[in-house]
Each structure stands twice: as structure tokens, then as C-alpha cells.
Amino acid sequence: MASYKVGYFVGSLSSTSINRLLAKALVRLAPPQLVMSEIAIKDLPLYSSDFDADYPPVARAFKQAIADVDAVLFVTPEYNRSIPGGLKNAIDWASRPWGQNAFTRKPSGVIGTSPGAIGTAVAQQSLRGVLCFCNSPLMNQVEAYIQFKPGLITAEGEVTDEGTRQFLQNYMTELHAFIVRVLTVLPRNT
């Protein structure tokens, strides 16, 4: 059975991020065919086209990390009804310079958690618009807007609510099926 490398981004830079907890849970709940690894965004400087002729080493390593995976998963909070600036900055680095977009034809999923009742629905919609422009095939179903409550996910990434655990496990199963479908139609080597 084929395995797929999935790089995930945590949109929050906070060490105590509830989205980082969600990412840990998703890694634990992923089917064995998905090999999950975080692609860190915290060390990237602010993007400027002045760098396009010669990316700094951290940005080259970042783009290479994306090139090395079969698919990407965005785990993002919602800041001011959109995605965090650090995540948008990372996407800008990955999609530039023009013609060297690391997300082209790379399957992607979007998920997030927030204490608010609508989870991260507005941020996810904003992120989906950006990823569509980046030509990244998006998993549109299952949508996942997780309302976070204290104790929902332990520091080790264990989901304490059985219904939420099953939902997240299904999300990862569906992400796997989506990656298989996309890469069957759009093989990465072409």
C-alpha cells in the first residue's frame, strides 16, 4: 500500500497554540499511509520581491520542504476574520517568484480550531481563496470548524471527546482518499 508524505503548517506561532494541539491530534489520528511532518514557518523573514533573485537559506529550505511532500495540510487559527500574518507570509514565500509556485498541483486540506462557536470558518474561507489562486487542489469536504474547549485535546494530542475524535479521524481518512484521487489524476512527476 502506497504511503504519502504530508507536510502540515500550524498557522499560529504561539508555543501554547490550540491549533498546535489540534495538529498533534491529527498526526495521531492519521491513517498509517500518511507520513506527517511539520513544515515550520516561524523563522521566515517578511517576504519581499527583493529576495526573488536569491532567496535566503531559510526560505530555500522552506520551499524544499514543500517540494519534498506529496500534499499539505493547513491547521490555522482565525485572526481578525482571516489567516494569521505569519501563515500568509509563508504562503507568499512558497508561491514566489512568479512561475516557481511550490503549491501548484499539490493537494491541500484546511482545518482549524477556535474557542468561538464557528471555529475558524472565516479564516478557512480566506485561506481557500489564497490556495485556489496558488493552483492547489483543495479538499472541499469534509469541512472542519472545531470549537475548542479546555481539555478537548491533551498536551500529547489525545482527543478526550469521543465524537470529536471520530470526526477528526474521519477527516484524516478523507484527506488520505483525496490525496490518492488527486495524485492519480495529477501525478507529481509530470
Side-chain angles (χ1 to χ4, degrees), residues 2 14 18 41 44 54 56 60 75 102 110 119 147 151 153 169 174 182:
S14 171
I18 59 176
I41 64 173
L44 290 168
D54 187 23
R60 284 195 304 269
V75 185
V110 176
Q147 183 178 20
I153 303 172
Q169 188 168 29
E174 290 295 325
V182 170

Side-chain angles (χ1 to χ4, degrees), residues 5 39 61-70 72 102 106 188:
K5 294 185 267 183
I39 299 175
F62 174 72
K63 281 191 82 160
Q64 187 60 53
I66 297 169
D68 290 344
V69 297
D70 300 304
V72 291
K106 192 163 296 261
R188 298 293 304 154

Side-chain angles (χ1 to χ4, degrees), residues 16-187:
T16 59
S17 166
I18 59 176
N19 280 277
R20 183 163 300 287
L21 288 177
L22 176 58
K24 282 184 180 181
L26 295 170
V27 169
R28 286 178 65 132
L29 295 170
Q33 299 89 347
L34 298 183
V35 180
M36 308 291 294
S37 62
E38 183 174 0
I39 299 175
I41 64 173
K42 68 182 179 93
D43 295 329
L44 290 168
L46 289 176
Y47 171 77
S48 167
S49 60
D50 294 344
F51 292 112
D52 283 357
D54 187 23
Y55 265 30
V58 67
R60 284 195 304 269
F62 174 72
K63 281 191 82 160
Q64 187 60 53
I66 297 169
D68 290 344
V69 297
D70 300 304
V72 291
L73 175 63
F74 293 85
V75 185
T76 187
E78 183 169 301
Y79 292 179
N80 299 320
R81 297 284 189 230
S82 189
I83 60 175
L87 181 57
K88 177 60 168 70
N89 182 58
I91 293 169
D92 291 344
W93 276 109
S95 62
R96 300 293 178 189
W98 185 257
Q100 297 177 34
N101 176 5
F103 295 119
T104 298
R105 298 173 62 184
K106 192 163 296 261
S108 58
V110 176
I111 190 171
T113 189
S114 167
I118 61 169
T120 58
V122 180
Q124 288 187 42
Q125 190 59 38
S126 176
L127 179 54
R128 288 174 184 279
V130 172
L131 292 173
C132 283
F133 179 79
C134 290
N135 198 23
S136 177
L138 283 157
M139 182 173 84
N140 293 310
Q141 289 294 329
V142 173
E143 293 179 310
Y145 313 114
I146 309 302
Q147 183 178 20
F148 191 88
K149 296 183 179 173
L152 178 65
I153 303 172
T154 68
E156 294 76 32
E158 183 179 338
V159 181
T160 60
D161 177 79
E162 182 59 22
T164 303
R165 188 195 67 72
Q166 288 177 6
F167 177 83
L168 294 175
Q169 188 168 29
N170 180 64
Y171 179 89
M172 295 305 287
T173 299
E174 290 295 325
L175 179 64
H176 172 244
F178 175 74
I179 293 167
V180 170
R181 283 193 308 274
V182 170
L183 295 180
T184 298
V185 175
L186 299 171

